[in-house]
């Protein structure tokens, strides 16, 4: 059974791109029959529908969670005009209509519990997140997962897979931590 141990995401992409991806009938990983997409105010929830019929309909399956916000996107020409020096009076500048197109962005930002929730079919849903990450022009997805008994590192930056490795380092030892500190209770210099 594959599992995701650590995950951190800063992915951001147009909401329309997310919807288009799922409307194009993508190949979903084994274990996922389809996905349900729900939007509650400024939150987008993509829930897995499992192919495993032994999973109760009351068991929460894995879901991806993104916050939705509006942002203004400018063409290169509009950006140059916005950054050019202005010589008009403040009244003339206030009357100028904002340029650019207002679009909704889906931000899959945070650690595993924030972005990838619930454990039933969690790894296949992680694979769906990786597919979405490859469509994002902005942001990073890093993860440590276990596949077939082996640890695997994943790193996707601005839509491209990048090399990733796992480094195991020795942390502080529990047995030495209590004896290496100062015992403040029996300190003769403190009364």
């Amino acid at each position: 059974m594959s599992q995701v141990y650590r995950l951190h995401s800063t992915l951001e992409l147009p909401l329309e791109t997310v919807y288009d991806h799922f409307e194009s009938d993508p190949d979903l990983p084994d274990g996922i029959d389809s996905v349900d997409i729900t939007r509650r105010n400024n939150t987008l929830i993509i829930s897995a529908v499992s192919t495993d019929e032994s999973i109760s309909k009351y068991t929460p399956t894995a879901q991806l969670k993104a916050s939705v916000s509006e942002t203004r996107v400018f063409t290169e020409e509009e950006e140059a005009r916005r950054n050019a020096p202005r010589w008009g009076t403040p009244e003339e500048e206030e009357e100028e209509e904002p340029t650019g197109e207002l679009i909704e962005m889906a931000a899959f930002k945070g650690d595993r519990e924030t972005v990838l929730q619930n454990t039933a079919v969690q790894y296949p849903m992680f694979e769906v997140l990786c597919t979405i990450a490859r469509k994002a022009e902005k942001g990073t997805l890093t993860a440590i997962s276990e596949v077939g008994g082996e640890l695997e590192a994943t790193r996707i930056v601005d839509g491209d897979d990048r090399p990733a490795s796992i480094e195991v380092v020795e942390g502080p030892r529990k047995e030495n931590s209590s004896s290496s500190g100062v015992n403040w209770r029996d300190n003769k210099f403190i009364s």
Side-chain angles (χ1 to χ4, degrees):
M1 184 172 133
S2 301
Q3 192 172 350
V4 179
Y5 292 110
R6 291 193 175 264
L7 181 140
H8 183 74
S9 175
T10 60
L11 300 173
E12 196 172 347
L13 64 162
L15 183 61
E16 186 177 329
T17 303
V18 176
Y19 281 123
D20 288 349
H21 170 69
F22 290 108
E23 288 172 4
S24 69
D25 197 25
D27 287 334
L28 295 172
D30 290 341
I32 297 180
D33 185 46
S34 63
V35 295
D36 289 335
I37 301 175
T38 308
R39 179 159 175 195
R40 293 186 197 127
N41 298 324
N42 292 332
T43 304
L44 182 71
I45 301 169
I46 304 168
S47 303
V49 176
S50 177
T51 56
D52 185 354
E53 293 180 15
S54 69
I55 295 177
S56 165
K57 66 178 181 177
Y58 301 108
T59 302
T61 56
Q63 62 185 23
L64 302 175
K65 206 169 191 183
S67 60
V68 178
S69 61
E70 288 184 336
T71 189
R72 199 168 287 280
V73 177
F74 301 97
T75 63
E76 287 180 27
E77 182 182 303
E78 291 170 331
E79 194 67 44
R81 189 172 45 238
R82 288 183 67 227
N83 294 331
R86 299 176 187 221
W87 305 106
T89 63
E91 294 81 25
E92 290 173 355
E93 290 179 16
E94 285 179 17
E95 292 176 14
E96 211 174 288
E97 294 249 348
T99 58
E101 181 184 357
L102 198 59
I103 63 169
E104 290 183 304
M105 299 293 283
F108 296 88
K109 293 187 175 184
D111 294 322
R112 188 186 74 187
E113 294 78 21
T114 308
V115 177
L116 178 62
Q117 301 173 333
N118 305 331
T119 55
V121 295
Q122 181 191 65
Y123 187 79
M125 208 54 180
F126 166 69
E127 292 178 303
V128 170
L129 179 62
C130 289
T131 304
I132 292 171
R134 291 181 183 100
K135 295 183 176 299
E137 295 177 9
K138 184 174 161 187
T140 303
L141 172 70
T142 56
I144 298 174
S145 55
E146 180 249 324
V147 181
E150 296 287 323
L151 290 179
E152 187 176 280
T154 302
R155 184 168 169 242
I156 302 170
V157 180
D158 299 334
D160 297 322
D161 284 277
R162 300 282 171 88
S165 62
I166 299 170
E167 180 181 352
V168 179
V169 295
E170 186 176 335
R173 295 185 180 168
K174 291 182 181 178
E175 65 268 4
N176 290 345
S177 61
S178 61
S179 62
S180 65
V182 175
N183 185 352
W184 293 104
R185 292 174 192 217
D186 294 332
N187 192 321
K188 64 183 179 184
F189 299 109
I190 299 175
S191 54

